[in-house]
């Protein structure tokens, strides 16, 4: 049973890291579930402190993931169209067979969204798209760092209890 939990936890860790870049997957909370499954094995003793702190961090990052891009867009004069454009552009950028589509897509999406909102002011749309893009990058970086740290904790615990797990 421990091996099954360990395999599922590892898969969740990888999905959590990927979820840092994909807007449909909440990366850090998925990684946290992977940590929880590791602590549910018989080999690794339960640590409520580690799980509590990491849960708090995962929830905080999950909340900030929605706040940061919106604040970036609003700070640079954008609208909800820019935020929606950023998210749609990210999905299109990931699916499109172009290099760095996940970086180019959100910016182009925010610009198009702002142009839909106000087609007369392309300079304002560019400024808002820049703000949305900066917010997206900051949010993505934050989620990625937290997911990688969770994965590092996971690997440390697996290494520490390797003789009991395997």
């Amino acid at each position: 049973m421990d091996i099954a939990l360990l395999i599922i936890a590892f898969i969740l860790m990888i999905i959590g890291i990927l979820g840092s870049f994909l807007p449909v997957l909440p990366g850090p909370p998925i990684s946290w579930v992977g940590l929880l499954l590791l602590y549910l094995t018989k080999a690794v003793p339960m640590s409520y402190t580690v799980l509590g702190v990491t849960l708090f961090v995962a929830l905080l990052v999950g909340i900030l993931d929605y706040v940061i891009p919106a604040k970036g867009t609003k700070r640079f004069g954008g609208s909800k169209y820019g935020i929606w454009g950023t998210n749609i552009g990210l999905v299109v950028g990931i699916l499109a067979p172009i290099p760095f589509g996940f970086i180019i897509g959100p910016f182009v999406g925010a610009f198009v969204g702002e142009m839909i909102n106000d087609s007369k002011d392309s300079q304002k749309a560019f400024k808002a798209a820049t703000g949305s893009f900066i917010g997206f990058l900051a949010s993505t970086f934050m989620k990625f760092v937290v997911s990688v740290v969770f994965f590092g904790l996971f690997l440390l615990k697996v290494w520490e209890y390797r003789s009991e797990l395997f």
Side-chain angles (χ1 to χ4, degrees), residues 100-158:
F100 303 106
F102 67 94
I103 294 175
I104 297 167
F107 180 81
V108 172
F111 183 76
V112 169
E114 289 299 331
M115 288 303 291
I116 289 171
N117 185 41
D118 183 10
S119 62
K120 296 175 185 156
D121 195 355
S122 62
Q123 192 170 14
K124 180 183 175 191
F126 183 78
K127 185 177 176 184
T130 302
S132 180
F133 181 66
I134 289 170
F136 162 74
L137 286 180
S139 177
T140 299
F141 180 73
M142 178 182 60
K143 291 186 304 182
F144 178 72
V145 167
V146 168
S147 293
V148 168
V149 167
F150 285 3
F151 189 57
L153 289 171
F154 175 84
L155 292 176
L156 281 172
K157 284 297 173 187
V158 168

